[in-house]
Amino acid sequence: MSVTAADSAAIEEAGQLIRAGALVAFPTETVYGLGADATNGRAVAAIFEAKGRPRFNPLIVHVPDLAGAERIGVLTGAARKLAEAFWPGPLTLVVKRRPEAGISDLVSAGLDTLALRVPAHRIAEALLRAADRPLAAPSANRSGRVSPTSAAHVADDLGGGVAMILDGGPTAHGLESTVVDAADEARVHLLRPGAVPREAIAAVLGRPLSDAPAGDTAHPASPGQLASHYAPNARLRLNARDVRPGEALLAFGSGVPASDGPLINLSPRGDLVEAAAGLFGALRDLDKSGAATIAVMPIPEHGLGEAINDRLRRAAAPRPSDR
Ligand code: TXA
Ligand code: MG
């Protein structure tokens, strides 16, 4: 699949493709998304097909602004407060859906809620306006693989079924949006750590996030949170303080152990923002080195470290093929 420079003519054409029911991959400030008209059930089904994604995994709906979100979802007071603080930006809010708004049932996999987000990216916003439709868009990778942070990653992962890949260069955050369930005002809780740290959300709410309700593991509240996800081909060995023969090293900060294999340091100066931006690209590059295992140095758990460690633990989790 070829990649198209996202000039205004290409964005116009992409908008028409979306209205005609086709799939368009586009950049956001987090990762590249694979977009379809959220009101067109066949187009949404084509996303699952192109990604090889299990049907039970619901999608985020992207809108250009808060008014667009209010038209398809019911924002609680807490949801509106968070939207005003973080939109446009890398926060996704789960709220009750408006059944009359015409969003395909496939988008939320039968749930009575919708995950909504206003991306902070010039090309994403221009595409939303050109298409004049809410865009259902998961990350533009094959299901279970690391999310794409460049147009080339999308082209590597997804072939047929995608009408156009809009190239907007590398993404700024490199991690997916934070997903917060704000459907119930009294129990606003984190479904997926991401580019907005938990601490920043709590500061806006004026209270810590609630604990997630105890869900059963067969039906997790955010079904995308399956244990093995974001997986490269190589195995991951976390909290590594040394490098074993044949291993590649994903380093962070100073005190990097000696090794003669492939090495990428996510941030020599120990900056979590820089580390998040480079994480998925580094996993792809170390994977290409052919090493069977990637040793990963410890990464602190605060701020963006929560989301980085979440992705690393999923990448290290036992794979379905191991069972
Ligand atoms: O940064 C991002 O969020 C990127 C860009 C493209 O916007 N998108 C993304 O989408 O990461 P995806 O489909 O890979 O992840 C969506 C997450 C999943 O964990 C999914 O289960 C959750 O959002 N989700 C979607 N709808 C939901 C709903 N109604 N209730 C609970 N969780 C939901
Ligand atoms: Mg994804």
Side-chain angles (χ1 to χ4, degrees):
M1 172 83 265
S2 71
V3 162
T4 307
D7 58 21
S8 54
I11 292 170
E12 229 13 81
E13 185 187 343
Q16 279 164 23
L17 285 165
I18 294 283
R19 283 201 298 281
L23 305 185
V24 172
F26 63 99
T28 78
E29 77 280 33
T30 57
V31 301
Y32 276 69
L34 181 61
D37 175 357
T39 65
N40 178 336
R42 289 180 63 160
V44 175
I47 294 180
F48 293 100
E49 182 76 18
K51 279 184 64 91
R53 169 179 262 202
R55 288 286 149 124
F56 49 74
N57 198 347
L59 308 175
I60 295 173
V61 179
H62 299 69
V63 289
D65 49 31
L66 181 56
E70 303 261 21
R71 272 196 287 280
I72 58 179
V74 183
L75 273 69
T76 55
R80 192 165 305 107
K81 206 166 171 182
L82 292 173
E84 280 164 0
F86 294 107
W87 284 356
L91 178 73
T92 294
L93 292 169
V94 172
V95 299
K96 289 271 181 273
R97 64 153 72 213
R98 291 191 195 279
E100 71 281 9
I103 302 295
S104 155
D105 280 333
L106 256 188
V107 167
S108 47
L111 301 170
D112 62 356
T113 50
L114 277 183
L116 299 176
R117 150 164 148 75
V118 177
H121 194 288
R122 186 182 58 78
I123 296 167
E125 196 200 336
L127 176 63
L128 283 163
R129 299 205 186 274
D132 194 26
R133 298 280 194 285
L135 282 186
S139 49
N141 52 282
R142 279 198 73 76
S143 185
R145 310 307 306 272
V146 299
S147 293
T149 55
S150 75
H153 293 164
V154 180
D156 281 353
D157 256 28
L158 299 178
V162 183
M164 191 187 264
I165 301 173
L166 286 173
D167 189 356
T171 62
H173 293 284
L175 270 184
E176 299 87 346
S177 62
T178 303
V179 183
V180 167
D181 188 331
D184 176 358
E185 185 96 56
R187 202 163 60 180
V188 177
H189 57 277
L190 196 65
L191 292 175
R192 178 178 74 180
V196 179
R198 168 197 294 275
E199 296 88 334
I201 296 165
V204 168
L205 287 176
R207 58 184 152 100
L209 286 162
S210 304
D211 291 331
D216 70 12
T217 43
H219 300 96
S222 189
Q225 298 298 71
L226 301 172
S228 172
H229 203 62
Y230 305 104
N233 289 315
R235 305 279 135 174
L236 261 66
R237 186 167 69 81
L238 302 184
N239 295 314
R241 311 216 174 243
D242 59 357
V243 185
R244 299 175 187 164
E247 284 184 341
L249 178 63
L250 186 62
F252 177 82
S254 54
V256 177
S259 93
D260 47 18
L263 181 157
I264 296 178
N265 194 332
L266 288 172
S267 175
R269 62 195 156 100
D271 175 0
L272 289 166
V273 175
E274 181 182 30
L279 176 66
F280 292 146
L283 287 173
R284 281 177 189 264
D285 288 346
L286 291 178
D287 224 8
K288 280 189 189 145
S289 78
T293 302
I294 301 171
V296 184
M297 283 176 68
I299 293 175
E301 194 64 47
H302 61 82
L304 283 182
E306 182 179 6
I308 295 172
N309 284 313
D310 170 76
R311 304 305 188 272
L312 287 169
R313 280 192 287 269
R314 283 174 207 288
R319 316 273 163 86
S321 57
D322 297 342
R323 290 183 215 120

